[in-house]
Amino acid sequence: MAEGDEPIYNVKDNVPLGTTVLTILQHFFVLAVYMTYPVIISNAIGGSTDLTMFLISATLIGSGIATILQSFSKTGAGYLLPMVPNSSYLPASLLAATAGGLPLLYGMLIISGLFEMVISRFTTFFRIVFPNEVTGVVLFLLGIAIVPFAFPLFFGSTDSGPLDPASTVVGIITLTSTILLSVIPKRFFKFYAILIGIVIGMAASVFLGVFKLETLLQITSLSVFWIPNPIGIVSYSFEFALLIPFAIAMICVMLKSVGNISLLNAYTKEGEKNTLKNGLMSEGAGVAIAGALGGIGIGSSSGATGLVVGTGIAAKRVGLGLGIFLILCGFLPAIGWVFHILPKPILGATLLYAVTFVMVTGIQSISSRMLDPRRKFVVILPILIGVSSAVCPYLYADLPKTLALFFASPLTSGSMAVLILGLLLRIGIKKHRSFDFSKDANLQRFLMECGRQWTLERMQMLSISNHLQNLADAGEPERLEMKFEPIGMLRAEMVFKEPVENVPKMKINGNLEADGRVVKASYPLM
């Protein structure tokens, strides 16, 4: 394991063959749990064993191709950045699959992937349309949208029937053991909490009769190697109403990848000018390829990125080997079959565990911002509208088909509402404010009002206000001009009666310029 802050094997280093193989296997076990997502989608549409195996195989092949693309700086980020089935796509995928079958899912994934490839060229403008409070609401609604799928699985309910006591016990055991393992300080248990939880859940399933050991005998009828046959399964359709939930899912995946790539940049110190853009471009291509092949939505994995830092092995050659291994696994039917036979309560527990982190991230994104009354409505009303889609679906039953799809899930209705309200309630907000030191002595209150009006990150605004207060205390200020640039910059210009001799240095990210009586500061916004 890595003991320091630098990789043992950095991006361009050669890794011994044995270490490479073991590292590939570790990454495979980390991403293996995400292969439950194709199973969940197949179950939602009543898919057969063959269909489930096809979904998993196509997803493995698509993930492998995308992982290989990410391993080269010309086609991707140039890092060991595994591409795996992504939970952010799951609610929208379930909605598409249940509304229009797999062709609709595949068509929407291709559009999403192409859209991400285009958007990857314009990441600068993300802040305007998708500020943190908006993406936070969407992430929270992702969890709400999962409820109709996760809880019936968790409780072993079939055909909208009551819970099954034995299945419920299995679900509780699986979820509880996974949670307990994830909070143990030892890194091993954190990495493999879900996989170990699945093993414990399988043991409980056998003991309680939820899973029959005779089922394992079916493996003898499987061929060792197969070529997934897309005939009769893969075709493509499109529905405009589903564009919003898939676009939102795509943005969530992109934002996660921005964080993962930024972490690898800082850890490996190998980032280049186009690392982020190429990484997002490659991810979008991977989503489109997975959809075209008959798989599900994919994206980068925070768990896999954490494993890179944890092991100290960041060599992109491992990523190339992992990609080849994933493609090979796509032609091994036993892998898809193993995930297909997992009992439903185990799938439900896994889904609840994964979506918990998505929802918590959403809450943290919202709570990190300073919200004025306008933005509070932007946050709360869409959540209420989204919940109404689940609690009162009869309200929207008689709407035209296309419009009704917007209210088919809390994710679609809530996301549409937060996007519209987020843009509308920006109208009329002043981007320039002035403070006269001769009329008001409370600079901190003024700066906090600016932070709320412009919905800035709370802790960053506190740091900015402290710096400006220190700057004001260094001389005799006359006025302060604040300018907010939505693309991600806050500018301040403080005018003094006389030139300041000792301008306080910045302790935060930004740029400081002094010119006579005028001191200018620029703060890149989070």
Side-chain angles (χ1 to χ4, degrees):
M1 305 300 286
E3 298 295 340
D5 296 327
E6 296 182 356
I8 297 172
Y9 296 103
N10 212 336
V11 174
K12 299 177 183 178
D13 292 343
N14 290 321
V15 184
L17 179 60
T19 303
T20 298
V21 172
L22 289 175
T23 304
I24 288 173
L25 290 176
Q26 273 203 114
H27 277 283
F28 179 77
F29 284 127
V30 168
L31 65 85
V33 68
Y34 301 112
M35 290 302 156
T36 56
Y37 298 161
V39 182
I40 291 168
I41 292 173
S42 179
N43 283 340
I45 59 175
S48 63
T49 302
D50 289 342
L51 178 61
T52 303
M53 291 167 57
F54 175 84
L55 277 174
I56 292 175
S57 292
T59 302
L60 283 168
I61 295 171
S63 297
I65 294 172
T67 300
I68 292 173
L69 291 176
Q70 289 289 13
S71 300
F72 298 100
S73 57
K74 297 295 184 182
T75 59
Y79 289 143
L80 166 53
L81 188 65
M83 296 285 107
V84 303
N86 198 285
S87 59
S88 296
Y89 273 117
L90 193 54
S93 298
L94 288 167
L95 181 62
T98 53
L102 291 178
L104 183 56
L105 169 60
Y106 297 150
M108 298 308 300
L109 285 175
I110 292 173
I111 295 296
S112 299
L114 296 176
F115 192 34
E116 180 172 355
M117 294 175 71
V118 174
I119 293 296
S120 68
R121 307 291 98 181
F122 305 98
T123 52
T124 307
F125 301 98
F126 270 23
R127 283 188 56 88
I128 298 176
V129 183
F130 300 102
N132 273 29
E133 67 275 13
V134 169
T135 55
V137 169
V138 173
L139 289 172
F140 184 81
L141 289 170
L142 277 170
I144 300 296
I146 284 293
V147 169
F149 303 98
F151 277 90
L153 288 172
F154 184 83
F155 290 112
S157 170
T158 56
D159 299 325
S160 300
L163 61 81
D164 174 63
S167 296
T168 301
V169 173
V170 171
I172 292 173
I173 290 174
T174 305
L175 182 58
T176 302
S177 59
T178 304
I179 292 172
L180 291 176
L181 288 165
S182 69
V183 300
I184 294 176
K186 286 188 176 294
R187 192 175 288 162
F188 175 84
F189 294 109
K190 287 181 179 292
F191 285 161
Y192 303 116
I194 296 179
L195 286 174
I196 298 173
I198 288 176
V199 172
I200 295 173
M202 282 297 295
S205 297
V206 172
F207 180 76
L208 295 171
V210 174
F211 179 80
K212 305 296 183 184
L213 287 175
E214 297 80 42
T215 306
L216 296 176
L217 298 176
Q218 296 175 8
I219 196 171
T220 57
S221 63
L222 298 176
S223 58
V224 177
F225 184 86
W226 79 325
I227 297 177
N229 185 5
I231 297 176
I233 299 176
V234 179
S235 59
Y236 315 102
S237 63
F238 175 79
E239 179 61 60
F240 177 77
L242 292 177
L243 191 58
I244 286 183
F246 273 90
I248 293 295
M250 179 268 297
I251 292 295
C252 293
V253 171
M254 288 185 75
L255 292 176
K256 179 188 287 187
S257 295
V258 168
N260 290 333
I261 293 172
S262 298
L263 174 59
L264 292 175
N265 281 340
Y267 181 60
T268 65
K269 313 250 182 336
E270 293 283 345
E272 299 176 0
K273 180 180 178 181
N274 294 321
T275 294
L276 178 59
K277 288 185 177 181
N278 288 350
L280 296 178
M281 169 76 82
S282 179
E283 183 176 71
V287 173
I289 290 170
L293 292 175
I296 69 169
I298 62 177
S300 67
S301 164
S302 299
T305 305
L307 185 58
V308 170
V309 178
T311 59
I313 301 174
K316 61 183 180 182
R317 294 188 180 187
V318 175
L320 179 60
L322 177 61
I324 295 172
F325 182 69
L326 290 175
I327 293 174
L328 176 62
C329 288
F331 295 96
L332 302 177
I335 291 179
W337 176 82
V338 166
F339 287 105
H340 175 73
I341 65 172
L342 286 177
K344 289 183 178 180
I346 293 178
L347 294 175
T350 301
L351 190 53
L352 288 175
Y353 178 83
V355 82
T356 297
F357 294 99
V358 176
M359 295 186 74
V360 168
T361 301
I363 294 171
Q364 290 173 338
S365 295
I366 296 170
S367 61
S368 70
R369 314 308 285 187
M370 302 178 70
L371 303 177
D372 71 348
R374 291 186 184 214
R375 305 311 286 182
K376 289 177 182 177
F377 285 113
V378 170
V379 169
I380 297 301
L381 284 180
I383 291 177
L384 295 176
I385 292 171
V387 171
S388 76
S389 299
V391 178
C392 313
Y394 53 86
L395 295 174
Y396 315 107
D398 293 334
L399 293 175
K401 180 182 177 182
T402 300
L403 191 58
L405 274 175
F406 282 109
F407 296 94
S409 164
L411 178 63
T412 50
S413 57
S415 298
M416 179 176 63
V418 75
L419 284 174
I420 294 174
L421 284 175
L423 293 174
L424 286 179
L425 293 182
R426 278 185 176 273
I427 298 174
I429 294 179
K430 295 180 179 180
K431 296 180 177 60
H432 182 276
R433 291 194 63 177
S434 301
F435 181 81
D436 190 336
F437 286 91
S438 65
K439 296 180 180 179
D440 193 345
N442 199 330
L443 176 61
Q444 293 290 317
R445 182 177 63 187
F446 166 76
L447 292 172
M448 290 301 106
E449 288 175 357
C450 290
R452 282 188 290 272
Q453 185 174 14
W454 296 328
T455 322
L456 303 183
E457 205 274 334
R458 189 182 307 277
M459 297 307 296
Q460 185 183 27
M461 193 61 206
L462 285 173
S463 299
I464 292 173
S465 63
N466 288 337
H467 176 257
L468 290 175
Q469 184 66 63
N470 292 337
L471 183 59
D473 294 340
E476 296 183 57
E478 291 182 341
R479 71 178 188 276
L480 172 65
E481 304 291 336
M482 299 292 296
K483 183 180 180 182
F484 170 62
E485 298 177 1
I487 60 172
M489 187 67 70
L490 183 66
R491 302 189 187 277
E493 180 178 298
M494 193 175 292
V495 181
F496 293 83
K497 293 180 179 180
E498 297 179 358
V500 180
E501 294 183 1
N502 297 313
V503 177
K505 294 182 178 180
M506 279 188 170
K507 296 181 180 179
I508 54 177
N509 289 335
N511 184 49
L512 195 63
E513 298 178 5
D515 183 12
R517 297 190 304 120
V518 179
V519 178
K520 297 180 180 180
S522 302
Y523 308 96
L525 296 175
M526 297 172 63

